[in-house]
Amino acid sequence: MFQNKSNAARAFKGLLTKRSGKLFFALCVSLLPLVASPLFGQELSLLDESSKKGQVLYWDTLTQSGVLEKNGKQVSFRAGSNVILLDNEKFAFTDAPQIANGQISVSQKFIQDSEEWFSLRSSSGENFKVGAILIDPGHGGKDPGALMTHKINGKKVTIKEKDINLSVAKMLAARLKAAYPQKQIIMTRSSDVFITLQQRTEIANSVKLKDHEAVLYISIHVNSSLDKKARGYEVWYLSPGYRRTVLDHGKNEDPKLFPILNSMMEEEYTTESILIAKFIMDGLAAQIGNLSSSRGIKAEEWFVVRNSNMPSVLVEVGFVSNYEEAKLLNDESYLQKTAFGIYNGIAAFVTHFERSRGFTGTK
């Protein structure tokens, strides 16, 4: 929860919900310097007012946007904009929140409009669920991906990325199917065939979901570098610098609102992927231990994930160019550890999401 302190409010919060079968959340990633200061006119401190009314406030200082949550419902807003999103399903107009002296200030009308929405009964009592998990083994067929020949146990062995990707993906899919027989566990390829990047994202975006269901996209790859000492695993998410069109332009009543709504939605896709990446990194670290090293969570505009309209991450499981790591990647038991680590990360995210009914945050 936000702590109401006069000198600062610290936040590292995640908020998830779902719109049209996709997950969303706003993640506060830095300190918010909220200080006690006089407000002019009828402006009120949103931090103070939300606390009084039992609302939970999530704020992202980088994007100047936030979310209020109460009774399983939410209001998304942005400083300086009079448009608010209600449960990511409809929009309304109210007085624009402002930033003054490091404090979020709002009008009484903003508070009243938010409370009116929170007082409405939810149209459905169903919990949000992850309905599908799509696993994408990178490369395949005529595209081997990264490859390197090493002398292992006295024999020359050519290690191909496409083979490692597929092996880990199959192991991961088997674990997920056993754990979640009621969910769709889909692979973009289950054999050594070539699939274009466009086809992969089309597969992802065509997944059929029920109401209140979400889909996750996990792409598996292997690294290579001219630096033979480079080693370790890492998870990439879509950079905030790339802006996807995540809303259907034709469904907006006012075309002038489209850029605002799309930007708010897209920010939630990006930050949501960061949370999934963190869970996977934790899972890999627990399974692999000191056999390899973590290179951290990183951002990039990968084509394979940037066109998928859902939370998506790309996992690099190791370097074929590093001799010691190449030997590990050629070992089935090590690949099992890798797959189990990714599985544990996904399972932790699914549990976190579903227990919270689509709204999550640290407590």
Side-chain angles (χ1 to χ4, degrees):
M1 298 296 181
F2 259 66
Q3 301 298 315
N4 290 290
K5 297 181 179 180
S6 61
N7 62 332
R10 298 176 180 273
F12 187 74
K13 291 292 186 177
L15 175 66
L16 295 97
T17 185
K18 172 265 187 187
R19 180 184 184 278
S20 301
K22 310 298 188 293
L23 294 169
F24 301 88
F25 83 84
L27 179 65
C28 304
V29 295
S30 59
L31 293 180
L32 175 62
L34 294 176
V35 297
S37 61
L39 294 173
F40 298 100
Q42 299 299 313
E43 294 302 299
L44 305 170
S45 165
L46 181 57
L47 187 61
D48 292 341
E49 293 300 313
S50 61
S51 178
K52 292 177 184 178
K53 296 186 178 298
Q55 303 169 1
V56 180
L57 170 63
Y58 303 93
W59 177 251
D60 186 344
T61 59
L62 299 179
T63 62
Q64 299 281 283
S65 60
V67 176
L68 288 172
E69 192 271 327
K70 181 179 178 181
N71 298 333
K73 301 176 75 64
Q74 67 172 9
V75 173
S76 302
F77 62 92
R78 174 167 291 179
S81 172
N82 66 343
V83 180
I84 56 175
L85 285 174
L86 309 175
D87 284 353
N88 289 317
E89 294 178 351
K90 60 184 69 176
F91 63 86
F93 296 93
T94 188
D95 294 341
Q98 303 294 333
I99 304 296
N101 299 321
Q103 183 167 297
I104 312 171
S105 60
V106 295
S107 67
Q108 185 63 44
K109 175 175 170 51
F110 182 95
I111 297 296
Q112 291 174 345
D113 290 344
S114 298
E115 275 296 290
E116 181 178 344
W117 176 250
F118 293 140
S119 66
L120 296 177
R121 294 188 61 182
S122 176
S123 59
S124 173
E126 294 186 58
N127 290 352
F128 293 102
K129 295 182 180 296
V130 173
I133 302 171
L134 195 144
I135 307 167
D136 174 43
H139 306 281
K142 65 181 182 180
D143 176 16
L147 70 166
M148 189 68 64
T149 299
H150 295 281
K151 194 171 185 178
I152 301 176
N153 297 327
K155 296 181 180 180
K156 286 187 176 182
V157 179
T158 298
I159 302 175
K160 300 178 181 179
E161 177 184 359
K162 66 175 184 177
D163 297 334
I164 298 172
N165 296 344
L166 185 59
S167 294
V168 173
K170 285 183 174 181
M171 296 172 185
L172 175 59
R175 288 187 178 276
L176 289 170
K177 287 178 180 179
Y180 303 111
Q182 76 282 12
K183 300 185 189 299
Q184 300 180 67
I185 309 301
I186 306 168
M187 294 179 62
T188 56
R189 68 179 181 97
S190 55
S191 60
D192 186 19
V193 295
F194 174 74
I195 303 177
T196 66
L197 297 178
Q198 183 63 38
Q199 288 174 320
R200 294 172 195 270
T201 53
E202 287 175 355
I203 292 172
N205 291 330
S206 65
V207 175
K208 302 299 182 183
L209 297 167
K210 299 177 182 178
D211 289 341
H212 303 280
E213 285 190 342
V215 57
L216 309 180
Y217 186 103
I218 313 296
S219 188
I220 299 174
H221 287 255
V222 175
N223 235 327
S224 184
S225 174
L226 294 176
D227 179 5
K228 304 303 179 183
K229 295 181 180 180
R231 62 178 299 168
Y233 53 89
E234 57 197 28
V235 182
W236 294 77
Y237 68 92
L238 185 70
S239 167
Y242 185 89
R243 289 293 173 263
R244 289 165 292 181
T245 300
V246 297
L247 295 177
D248 183 344
H249 202 307
K251 291 183 179 180
N252 287 295
E253 297 178 13
D254 186 348
K256 294 180 181 179
L257 295 175
F258 180 77
I260 299 173
L261 300 177
N262 188 74
S263 181
M264 294 173 76
M265 293 292 190
E266 197 281 337
E267 289 292 345
E268 292 175 347
Y269 273 137
T270 299
T271 48
E272 181 173 81
S273 298
I274 298 174
L275 185 62
I276 300 173
K278 181 184 183 303
F279 277 115
I280 291 177
M281 286 297 293
D282 290 345
L284 287 170
Q287 288 299 313
I288 292 176
N290 60 6
L291 291 176
S292 186
S293 57
S294 168
R295 293 169 61 87
I297 300 172
K298 303 183 179 182
E300 185 54 273
E301 296 174 7
W302 293 92
F303 183 89
V304 71
V305 297
R306 75 185 187 190
N307 288 329
S308 56
N309 295 330
M310 62 196 66
S312 47
V313 295
L314 187 148
V315 185
E316 295 275 11
V317 300
F319 283 77
V320 294
S321 50
N322 180 283
Y323 176 68
E324 294 300 326
E325 196 147 85
K327 289 194 297 182
L328 291 173
L329 295 173
N330 193 52
D331 183 349
E332 184 175 351
S333 64
Y334 181 79
L335 297 185
Q336 285 281 6
K337 290 179 181 292
T338 300
F340 195 30
I342 298 173
Y343 161 78
N344 282 340
I346 296 173
F349 177 84
V350 170
T351 299
H352 194 53
F353 176 71
E354 295 186 345
R355 283 183 178 176
S356 65
R357 299 184 68 249
F359 296 89
T360 71
T362 54
K363 296 182 178 180

